[in-house]
Amino acid sequence: MRRKGFLGALLIALAATALFIGCSKKEQTIKIGFNIPLTGDNPMVGEGSKNAGDIVLKALKAQGGLTVKGQKYPVEFIYVDNELKAESAVQAALRLIEQDKVLAVVGPQGSGRAIPAGQVNNDNRTPMISAWSTNPDTTLNRPYVFRACFLDPFQAPVAAKFAKEQFNVTKTAILYNLEDDYSKTLAELYRDSWQAANGPGSVVVFDSFGQRDQDFSAQLTRIVNSGAEMLYLPVYYNFVALIVPQAKDLGWNKPIMGADAWGSADLVPLSKGSVAGYYFTTHYAAAGAVGKTKEFIDEYNASYGYIPDDVAALTYDAVNIVLQAIQNAGLSGDLQKDRNAIKDAMAALRNYDGITGKMNFNVQGDPEKDAVVVRISEAGEFVYVTSLQP
Amino acid sequence: MLTTFLQNVFNALQWGSFYSMIALGYCLVYGVLRLINFAHGDIFMTACYIAFFIATALLGAFSGGGVFVFALTLLLTMGATALVGITIERIAYRPLRMKGVNRLYVVITALMVGFILENGNLAFLGASARRFPDVIEKHIWQFGPVVLTNLKVLVILAAFAVFGLLQFIVQKTVLGMSMRAISYDKFAIPLMGIPVNRVITFTFALGSGLAAVAGILFGMSYPVLDPYMGMIIGWKAFIAAVVGGIGDIKGAFIGGFILGFIEIFITAVFPSSFKDLISFVILLIILVLKPTGFFGVARSTKI
Amino acid sequence: MALSPDIKTKQKTQLQIILAIVIGMAVVVFLAAIGVLNQYIQTVIMSIGINIIFASSLNIVNGYMGEFSCGHGGFMAVGAYVSSVLSLLLFTENKFIGHPLLPPQTALFLFPVVIIIGGFAAALAGLLVAIPSFKTRDDYLAIITIAANYIIMTAINNIPAVGASRGLMGMKGTVFAMSDLIPLPWMLIWIMVFVVVCVVAIKRLMGSVLGKGISAIRYDEISAEIMSVNTNQMKLLAFMFSSGLAGVAGGLFAHMLGFVNPSSFNIMKSTEGMVMVYLGGMGSLSGSVLSAVLFTFLLELLRPLQILKWVFIPLLLILLMQFRPEGLMGNRELPEVWAKLKLSFRGGKGNGISSGN
C-alpha cells in the first residue's frame, strides 16, 4: 500500500511538473508554433527545422523583438513534437492552436502529417505554412494553409525532361518507397511523364520497397538485368546512402537521378561519396550561394557544424514569411482577428525574396518558384547546374 | 533468367545470414528462460553503434584498417555488448524473475528496455544518422554473370561459423549442458547444484555477443546506422526463429535463411509491394500446417 | 428471501452508477458545447476514449484468455478503413461515386451503424488469427498475430482506391453533417457512448458462462476441454469479439482525425495496446480503463519533453513493473479494491463489520 502511495505521488508530481513546463504564459508576445518531427523515423527533419527557427529567433532577440507598425513585440517560438505520426500531428496542431494560442503554425513538414494537420488548422482558422510538403492535397481548398516549396506535379515532369536531355536515354527504371506518399507520388508522376515522352514500355522497372527495409538486392538485381539506361530514385537520403552502394556492388554503372529529399547535409558523408556525379532536383543549391542565402548557410554552419539542408532553408523562409505577414498585417490583440489578418497578408505577399528564391502565392496558397538541378561533385558539394521553370 | 536466379541466391544467403544470427540470439535466451527478449533487436542496434565507435577509434590509431582492426573491433564489441546484455538482465529481468511473475510482464519489460535503448540513443547521440567506417577494403568479384563482394562471402561464412560454435558450446560444454538442463526443468536444476543465475548471465552474455557479431557485419554491409534500425529486423528475426522452431538452435538458424529466401525471391518474382503480404501469408500457412515450426518439439502439456 | 435486501442495494448502486455516468457525460458535453473545454482538451478526451476501447478489447485476448496477441493494431485498421469508406460513400461528396448515397442529415442516426459495420468487418478479419489459434498457442500464436498485422497493413498499402500510403480523408464531412443539423460536439458524444457500451459489453460477456469459458482457457486449456468447454468456439468468440471492438475503436479514430493512413496502425500501435493492458493488469477491465486514461494522459502531458518522453515513459513502466509486477490492478476490479480500501479505512474505527483478515 505504501509503495502504491509513493508511486501515485510520484506520478502526480511528474504530471504537475509537466503541466508547469507546458503552460508558461506571457503577455503581449508574438507566438508562433512549430509542428515538427523531433522523434520518429526522420528526426533530422525536425532538427533542421528547429535549428532554422532558432537562428531566426536569435536574430530577433538581438534586435529586441519584432517591430510591427512601429512597436516592438517579444517573439516566442513553441516547438511541438509530432513523432512523424498523423494522429500526433493533429494533436500537436490542436495543442498549438487551442492551448498555446499561437498566431500561426509552421509545419508539419512531410505531407503525411501536413495533410491532416492542415485540415485542423483550416477548420480552426489558424494560418499554417508547411515548409516541405510537396503533395497538392495539403493546401487544396484550404485558404488558411500555405507552403514554401514547389509541388510534386511540377517537380517530377521537369526532372524527367532534364534527365532525358542530359543523359540522352529512353529506358528508365524507377525505385521508390511504397510506404512514403511523397516517394510514391513522385515515382508515379515521373513514370507518367516519362512514358508520355518516350512511349509505352520505356519504364522498364517500376519497383518499390518498405519504410524499414535495409536490403534492396533483389530489386536492384532486377533493375541491373532489365536493360534500364538510368534509375530514378525519389527517396530520402538515408535510403540513397544504402541503395547506391548496393547497386554499385551489383554492377550498376549508369546514371541515377534523384529528387529534393536527397538534399541533406548527411547525404554525402553517409554514402561516402558513392553518389558523386549524380543529379537531383531541389529547392536551392548551397554550393556557390550568394547574398542572403550565403549568410544563412554560414551562420547555420557556424552554429551547428554542418551545411543546412532543404528543410532548414525552407523552414527559414517559412518563418520569415509568417513574420513578414505579421508586420504587414499589424496586431490588434484579438487572436482570431489577427489570425485572419495574417492569412490575408500571407496570400497577398508579392515577390517575396526568400533564400530559396522569389515566391508568389497562388490561389491555393502554393508558391510559384523555380526548381534547381544540382550535380554532386567529386568533393561532395551540390553544384548548381540549371534552373527549371514551371 | 538464370543469372538473376543465381544472383538472388547469393542475395538471399546474405540477407538470411543476418536473420539467422539475430534469430540465434533470440533462440538462446528463449531456450533457457522461455522469455521472448524483445530488446534483442535493439541490443543488436547498440552493438552496431558500439562497433562504430570502436572501429572509428581504431582506424584513427592504426590507419588503413584490415584484418587486424576488424578482429580487434569484433572482440571489443562482443565484450562491450555482452556487458550491456548482462546489465539489462540484472537490472530489468532478474528482479522480476525472482518474484515469479507472469512471463508476459517480463516480455513487456523487454519491450520497454528496447524503447529506452532506441530513444536514449536518439536523445544522447543526436538525430544525425551515422556512417559505419570501412573496416576492411571492399572488393567486387565477378564470377561469370554473378557479382559478389568479399563482404558478402564473409557474412555468409560468419553465419555458419557462429552456428557451428554455438552448437558446440550448447552440446559439448558444461555450461551449455547446464543451459539445456535449465530449459528442461528450472525447478529441479538448482537442487542439482547448478548455479542457475550464473548460467543465465552467461546465456545473456553469449546471446548479446552473437548480436555483436551480427551488428558489426551488418554495419559493414549496410553502413547507415540509425537508432531504429534494429526494431523491424529484430521482430522479423524473431518470426524466423519461431518458424524454424524456437528453442532449437538448428531451427532458428534455418528459419533465418527460410525468411531470407522467401523475402528475396518474392521481391524478385512479384511486384515488391506485395513482399510483406505474401511472405507473411506463407509464414502463416507454415505455422498452421506445422504449429511448432520446423524443428520445434511440441511440449508435453500436463493434465 | 434473506438475500433480497442485498439484491436491492446492488440494484440501487447499479442505478447510481448509471446515473453518475450519464450525468458525467452530459456535463462534459455541455462544457464542450459552451466552449469551456477547448478542442484540444476534447481531442485528448476522445483519444482517451478510443484507447479505452482499444486496450480493454485487447484485454479479452491477452488478459482474460491469457494468449499473447501482438497485432491488435491491424484490426483497428480494418475497422477504420471500412467505416471510413462507408461514411464517405453514404454521407459526403467523395471520389468513389461522387454524390452521397443518402442525404447527409441521416448521418445523425446512421453514424453508429457505420461504426458498428466497421467493427463487424474487423471481427471477420479476426478469423485470420482465430482459426490458426485452434492448433497453435503461446509464442507461435504471437507470431501469427504479428503476421496478421503486417498482412492487413500491406494489403491496405496495395489498394490505391483507399489511398494506399497516401491515406484516406474526408470523413470530417460526416461529422460536419451531424453538427450542421444539431450543433453539438458529436464525435465526443459518440465516442463516450461507445466507450460505455463497449466496457459494459465486455463486463457482461466476461461475467457470463461464455466469459468463464474464455477465462478457463487461460488457467488450463486441457482441463477446460475436459470439463466440456468447447475451447475452439471460445477462442473464435474471444478473437472475433476482441478484434471487432478494436474495429469500433478504429472507426471512431478515423472519424476523429478525419484522416487515416496505414502507418498509424503498425506494430507500434499494437505495442501501445499491449503496454496499456499489462500496465493495468491482465484480466482486469477497470485496470485497462485506468491505464488507458493514465497512458494517454501521460503521453500528452510529457510532449514538451520531446525525445526524452520516450525514454521517460518506458523507464516509468519498468519501475512500475519492479514494484507492482502484476500491473496497477492485478486481476482485480475497481469495486473489489474500493471495498477493500473502505474496509481498511474503517477497520480502525471498528463499526461492526469485521475486516476479515
Side-chain angles (χ1 to χ4, degrees), chain C residues 266-298:
Chain C
N266 57 9
I267 286 281
M268 279 302 292
K269 189 90 205 171
S270 309
T271 311
E272 279 178 21
M274 291 197 298
V275 167
M276 286 187 272
V277 168
Y278 294 104
L279 172 66
M282 282 169 77
S284 165
L285 184 57
S286 38
S288 289
V289 174
L290 201 67
S291 67
V293 176
L294 206 69
F295 187 72
T296 322
F297 209 55
L298 216 59

Side-chain angles (χ1 to χ4, degrees), chain C residues 71-132:
Chain C
H72 212 49
F75 305 118
M76 195 170 170
V78 173
Y81 270 90
V82 170
S83 58
S84 300
V85 168
L86 265 180
S87 121
L88 286 181
L89 282 179
L90 295 181
F91 312 123
T92 53
E93 291 284 333
N94 59 74
K95 57 176 183 180
F96 298 108
I97 49 168
H99 310 290
L101 284 178
L102 299 172
Q105 290 78 11
T106 49
L108 203 54
F109 314 99
L110 290 179
F111 176 70
V113 179
V114 165
I115 296 289
I116 288 169
I117 293 176
F120 275 112
L124 279 181
L127 284 176
L128 207 64
V129 175
I131 290 173

Side-chain angles (χ1 to χ4, degrees), chain C residues 227-249:
Chain C
M227 304 297 273
S228 80
V229 175
N230 184 343
T231 51
N232 282 357
Q233 200 188 345
M234 291 300 142
K235 283 177 179 172
L236 200 68
L237 176 77
F239 274 112
M240 288 184 73
F241 192 58
S242 157
S243 46
L245 289 183
V248 168

